[in-house]
Amino acid sequence: MSEIVIAPINFSNPELIEKILSELKKYLPYKINLQPLQIDLNFAYSIERGQYYSTKIIQHLLPFSENINGKFLALLEVDLFIPVFTYVFGEAQLNGKVSIVSLTRLHEEFYSGISDEKLLIERSVKEILHELGHNFGLIHCKDWDCVMHSSLGIEEVDIKGIDYCSNCKRMIRL
Ligand SMILES: [Zn+2]
Ligand SMILES: [Zn+2]
């Protein structure tokens, strides 16, 4: 494990990405490389739901991870779903190399109409660490101070801690 590639897909705001990465670096002792990509995501779009099928996007991204000795996490600005849920913040291959996180529902505007960049960055870092945790082989943690606690709604993202608990850290040797 030598690197983590963060791939913003079709992203309009490189400054936001830089801010997220500099926060992320505080929690991960790995080299983090940025690889912005332009990918047509139409194949994953559901007309009925007006959302993008997360699992299909992960499948599509697998080839991008082949030459990476580490993990590949894509950041998206489109709303994601898997069939059993109305939406997901992200999805990861458990013990695999690829994960994705959508920022759509991490924006405070989405809920209150008021923009809050600091909160957006904190939520993004939490969800990135969470999905990478699944890539590292971690399952959901009962500890609310742990970033591996499950979060079905944004309140739960805000309540849980931003770092891995000592137990989870030990399991992934952080
Ligand atoms: Zn999870
Ligand atoms: Zn934990």
Side-chain angles (χ1 to χ4, degrees):
M1 174 75 199
S2 69
E3 67 169 327
I4 291 169
V5 174
I6 302 287
I9 298 188
N10 311 338
F11 246 78
S12 49
N13 187 349
E15 269 175 42
L16 175 65
I17 300 296
E18 287 304 329
K19 289 176 189 170
I20 292 173
L21 287 202
S22 69
E23 272 307 295
L24 193 60
K25 283 176 183 157
K26 298 179 184 170
Y27 302 94
L28 290 172
Y30 303 114
K31 191 158 59 148
I32 300 176
N33 293 316
L34 194 60
Q35 191 190 329
L37 294 171
Q38 295 292 325
I39 294 175
D40 182 354
L41 295 172
N42 268 331
F43 68 90
Y45 187 68
S46 158
I47 295 167
E48 305 85 70
R49 301 188 53 138
Q51 294 170 301
Y52 292 77
Y53 190 170
S54 165
T55 315
K56 276 193 186 172
I57 297 177
I58 288 193
Q59 293 300 323
H60 189 82
L61 293 173
L62 289 178
F64 290 92
S65 72
E66 270 165 20
N67 297 320
I68 296 170
N69 176 26
K71 309 298 181 190
F72 179 94
L73 181 137
L75 281 179
L76 290 96
E77 288 185 301
V78 297
D79 199 20
L80 302 175
F81 78 97
I82 57 174
V84 295
F85 290 119
T86 52
Y87 66 87
V88 290
F89 294 121
E91 185 181 346
Q93 294 183 295
L94 186 63
N95 258 315
K97 285 172 102 171
V98 177
S99 51
I100 65 178
V101 168
S102 164
L103 265 54
T104 301
R105 290 172 191 260
L106 301 179
H107 283 271
E108 182 55 24
E109 295 99 287
F110 189 90
Y111 305 93
S112 66
I114 298 161
S115 131
D116 186 336
E117 194 187 48
K118 192 170 168 281
L119 192 54
L120 172 63
I121 292 166
E122 183 181 314
R123 288 169 174 173
S124 302
V125 169
K126 283 179 176 177
E127 290 315 285
I128 292 169
L129 291 172
H130 182 96
E131 299 306 343
L132 285 173
H134 287 315
N135 282 161
F136 296 143
L138 293 176
I139 53 166
H140 288 153
C141 182
K142 289 194 173 71
D143 185 345
W144 273 105
D145 288 332
C146 180
V147 80
M148 291 313 295
H149 200 286
S150 69
S151 23
L152 296 173
I154 197 68
E155 306 79 13
E156 292 166 320
V157 175
D158 289 341
I159 290 167
K160 74 179 174 185
I162 198 168
D163 205 353
Y164 305 102
C165 72
S166 53
N167 247 344
C168 286
K169 271 188 181 163
R170 201 170 320 128
M171 279 194 275
I172 61 177
R173 298 188 180 84
L174 266 190

